[in-house]
Amino acid sequence: MGAVALDDGPSGVKAPDGGWGWAVLFGGFIITGFSYAFPKAVSVFFKELIREFGVGYSDTAWISSILLAMLYGTGPLCSVLVNRFGCRPVMMVGGLFASLGMIMASFSTSIIHIYLTTGVITGLGLALNFQPSLIMLNRYFDKKRPLANGLSAAGSPVFLCCLSPLGQVLQHEFGWRGGFLILGGMLLNCCVCGALMRPLEAPKKAADQENLEAKAVQKKPHKLLDFSVFKDKGFLIYTIAASIMVLGLFVPPVFVVSYAKDLGNEDTKAAFLLTVLGFIDIFARPTCGIIAGLKWVRPRCVYLFSFAMIFNGTADLIGSLSTEYSHLVVFCIFFGISYGMVGALQFEVLMAIVGTERFPSAIGLVLLMEAIAVLIGPPSAGRILDATKRYMFVFMVAGVEVVLSAVVLASGNFFCIGKKPAEPEVKQEMAVTATETEQLNKPPEEEEEVGKELKEESEKEDKDKDKEKRPDSVKLDSIEVEQFLRDNTDKNGEVVTNPETCV
């Protein structure tokens, strides 16, 4: 399939910012929802699994951890597969893996089988869907990309609000085995979303332009994983900041329910906090996408992302002082707003830093670095809680980590990355080929000389071709043509000689 339609994102294709892109956005919305909400939704079945296999809660918690580790840690593998086969076939195969893992898990006889099926196989399938959906979204949207990213990211809270109650209903009606089987069937929708990821077709170019490109452009070997992104200062700063951020970003949603219970609240009342957080998050992500797309804000999107992280970290620090349930409700509202902002902007900023061509490799490498932080963050917070017995310190450490990541990102961009002139950047984005990109980096005098040489060579080639097509034996002068017309008056009619045109 990849050999038939390899969607390696040619630079000459302009993002349509609509049209079929809305179908791609719909597919990305569903994929993002499954990828982020599924590891949390599976936790609904943990009590049944503990009773079935006689294990502890910590053993079942590894299922969600392995799912998240596969989602983030297989980033480079996804990049290689996308660069080799294209987004559509990778996503469709990923949908089959995600579904197959849950179906096989329904026949499991031990917790190890659950780790391998739900954790590894389903996790790999979701990873093979999540990353390509972001890549295709980046290719189909340019001017409206911040809004598209915000709408796509909204799939996470929407699906979390839907899948968790659905999981409870399935467990009550069909047990955990029947629930896993039905969820496996639902994951086949990832294949449908993959089918929506139609590759962009390059426009037909004029013949003379093709001749110039054929003479000037030398095609470079296609890289399966482009490590040259590490030479980009912006990418390095983003990767370091994102890794620090992930250490503390996911800690509050994991511990806020336990925090409420520790204050003496009922289970249902405590669980309602996640509902508040998710509901606010649904509206925060698209709204932030609209703001990020504004003319004045978009060039400064990195600093808006830094503000979102400072907002999030500050909410954690203030939330650590909560002593009543109402305090935690207020915390969840502000945390939901900031969490939604971070979710809407994190990949938009990366796309803006590395560009469309290098994004498939960049997203894979970033997710790999974040995978390490994801595995370290919540367990480290758990150890702090065991040592201190107070949730205040857990939230404070998480807040400090997120604020620190914002400082690294903002200060790194301000001091380490010089301001680039606006015009060359615009030209660089509009460059159709590698040759044009090369020309933009040359001084104007050299560019004019090269352009003249290419033009003269192409004109010379055109003249030679005309001579080859028109042999001397075919050339006729005006006298012979006039004589021929007079001799065939029956067919050609009467010929009138015009003194003005006669040679």
Side-chain angles (χ1 to χ4, degrees):
M1 293 174 71
V4 176
L6 182 59
D7 53 336
D8 53 355
S11 57
V13 182
K14 185 181 178 182
D17 274 315
W20 190 256
W22 298 116
V24 172
L25 173 58
F26 176 73
F29 175 87
I30 294 174
I31 294 298
T32 303
F34 274 128
S35 300
Y36 277 114
F38 206 80
K40 300 169 187 174
V42 171
S43 63
V44 172
F45 298 93
F46 282 179
K47 286 185 179 179
E48 287 292 323
L49 294 176
I50 290 170
R51 190 179 297 112
E52 177 83 15
F53 300 118
V55 294
Y57 185 83
S58 59
D59 296 319
T60 55
W62 273 102
I63 299 171
S64 296
S65 298
I66 294 171
L67 265 169
L68 286 172
M70 291 299 294
L71 181 64
Y72 284 91
T74 55
L77 173 63
C78 295
S79 296
V80 170
L81 292 175
V82 167
N83 288 331
R84 175 64 183 87
F85 300 105
C87 292
R88 179 186 276 178
V90 170
M91 289 183 69
M92 295 184 76
V93 171
L96 291 175
F97 268 84
S99 176
L100 183 64
M102 292 302 294
I103 293 171
M104 291 173 64
S106 66
F107 299 100
S108 297
T109 56
S110 72
I111 195 68
I112 302 298
H113 294 164
I114 302 287
Y115 293 159
L116 294 174
T117 53
T118 302
V120 176
I121 299 177
T122 298
L124 177 61
L126 292 174
L128 292 176
N129 276 273
F130 177 61
Q131 189 172 318
S133 69
L134 290 175
I135 294 169
M136 290 303 294
L137 200 66
N138 181 38
R139 291 177 184 167
Y140 268 89
F141 289 91
D142 180 23
K143 293 180 181 179
K144 298 178 182 177
R145 193 177 64 202
L147 173 61
N149 274 306
L151 291 171
S152 176
S156 173
V158 170
F159 269 62
L160 183 60
C161 292
C162 297
L163 283 180
S164 293
L166 177 64
Q168 291 176 347
V169 172
L170 292 177
Q171 178 185 326
H172 182 265
E173 295 294 330
F174 306 102
W176 72 268
R177 294 185 186 274
F180 275 28
L181 193 64
I182 294 171
L183 288 175
M186 290 178 62
L187 284 173
L188 283 173
N189 286 293
C190 293
C191 296
V192 180
C193 296
L196 294 174
M197 305 298 166
R198 187 172 65 193
L200 285 169
E201 295 180 0
K204 294 180 180 179
K205 298 173 182 177
D208 56 342
Q209 191 176 357
E210 286 182 358
N211 291 335
L212 284 173
E213 289 179 359
K215 192 167 185 67
V217 178
Q218 294 179 352
K219 290 186 178 180
K220 296 180 181 179
H222 196 70
K223 293 181 181 179
L224 294 180
L225 192 60
D226 188 4
F227 288 99
S228 67
V229 291
F230 284 110
K231 297 179 182 178
D232 189 335
K233 289 182 181 179
F235 174 76
L236 284 175
I237 293 168
Y238 176 89
T239 304
I240 294 169
S243 299
I244 298 172
M245 176 190 73
V246 170
L247 283 172
L249 184 65
F250 299 121
V251 170
V254 172
F255 288 92
V256 69
V257 175
S258 301
Y259 194 177
K261 290 179 182 178
D262 189 61
L263 293 176
N265 295 288
E266 298 176 358
D267 291 356
T268 53
K269 199 175 179 181
F272 180 71
L273 291 172
L274 287 180
T275 305
V276 173
L277 195 156
F279 182 77
I280 298 296
D281 193 4
I282 290 172
F283 296 98
R285 298 193 185 213
T287 304
C288 185
I290 294 171
I291 295 171
L294 296 176
K295 189 177 181 180
W296 185 84
V297 177
R298 191 170 185 187
R300 301 165 181 83
C301 208
V302 171
Y303 299 106
L304 179 62
F305 185 40
S306 301
F307 169 75
M309 290 191 287
I310 291 174
F311 187 8
N312 186 272
T314 305
D316 292 343
L317 293 172
I318 296 174
S320 65
L321 304 176
S322 300
T323 55
E324 296 179 8
Y325 181 79
S326 58
H327 297 167
L328 288 177
V329 172
V330 174
F331 161 74
C332 285
I333 292 172
F334 285 100
F335 183 86
I337 295 171
S338 59
Y339 190 72
M341 291 177 69
V342 171
L345 293 172
Q346 57 178 339
F347 297 117
E348 166 62 27
V349 171
L350 180 60
M351 291 174 186
I353 290 172
V354 300
T356 303
E357 188 177 346
R358 295 190 299 172
F359 182 72
S361 297
I363 183 65
L365 295 169
V366 166
L367 288 176
L368 177 61
M369 298 300 294
E370 288 184 355
I372 300 170
V374 164
L375 291 175
I376 295 173
S380 299
R383 289 192 176 185
I384 293 172
L385 181 61
D386 292 336
T388 61
K389 305 298 181 183
R390 297 186 67 182
Y391 285 91
M392 180 180 71
F393 296 108
V394 173
F395 278 63
M396 287 181 68
V397 171
V400 169
E401 288 168 343
V402 177
V403 170
L404 177 62
S405 66
V407 173
V408 170
L409 183 64
S411 59
N413 275 272
F414 187 79
F415 293 109
C416 300
I417 301 176
K419 292 182 180 179
K420 299 176 183 177
E423 289 183 7
E425 275 187 4
V426 174
K427 287 184 180 179
Q428 193 80 14
E429 289 177 3
M430 296 300 292
V432 177
T433 64
T435 307
E436 292 180 13
T437 307
E438 226 172 86
Q439 299 303 323
L440 290 171
N441 296 325
K442 292 183 179 180
E445 297 84 2
E446 190 178 341
E447 187 178 344
E448 287 178 8
E449 290 176 8
V450 174
K452 286 178 181 177
E453 288 176 7
L454 289 172
K455 190 174 181 182
E456 287 173 4
E457 287 178 8
S458 64
E459 287 176 357
K460 191 177 179 182
E461 286 180 4
D462 292 341
K463 287 179 182 178
D464 292 340
K465 286 180 182 178
D466 290 341
K467 286 180 180 179
E468 290 174 5
K469 291 178 182 177
R470 262 189 328 184
D472 295 336
S473 59
V474 183
K475 293 179 180 177
L476 299 173
D477 58 15
S478 60
I479 297 171
E480 290 176 352
V481 173
E482 191 175 334
Q483 186 63 38
F484 170 76
L485 294 172
R486 283 175 178 170
D487 292 343
N488 295 277
T489 53
D490 295 338
K491 295 180 180 178
N492 301 320
E494 190 176 344
V495 179
V496 179
T497 304
N498 190 347
E500 294 178 1
T501 58
C502 188
V503 180

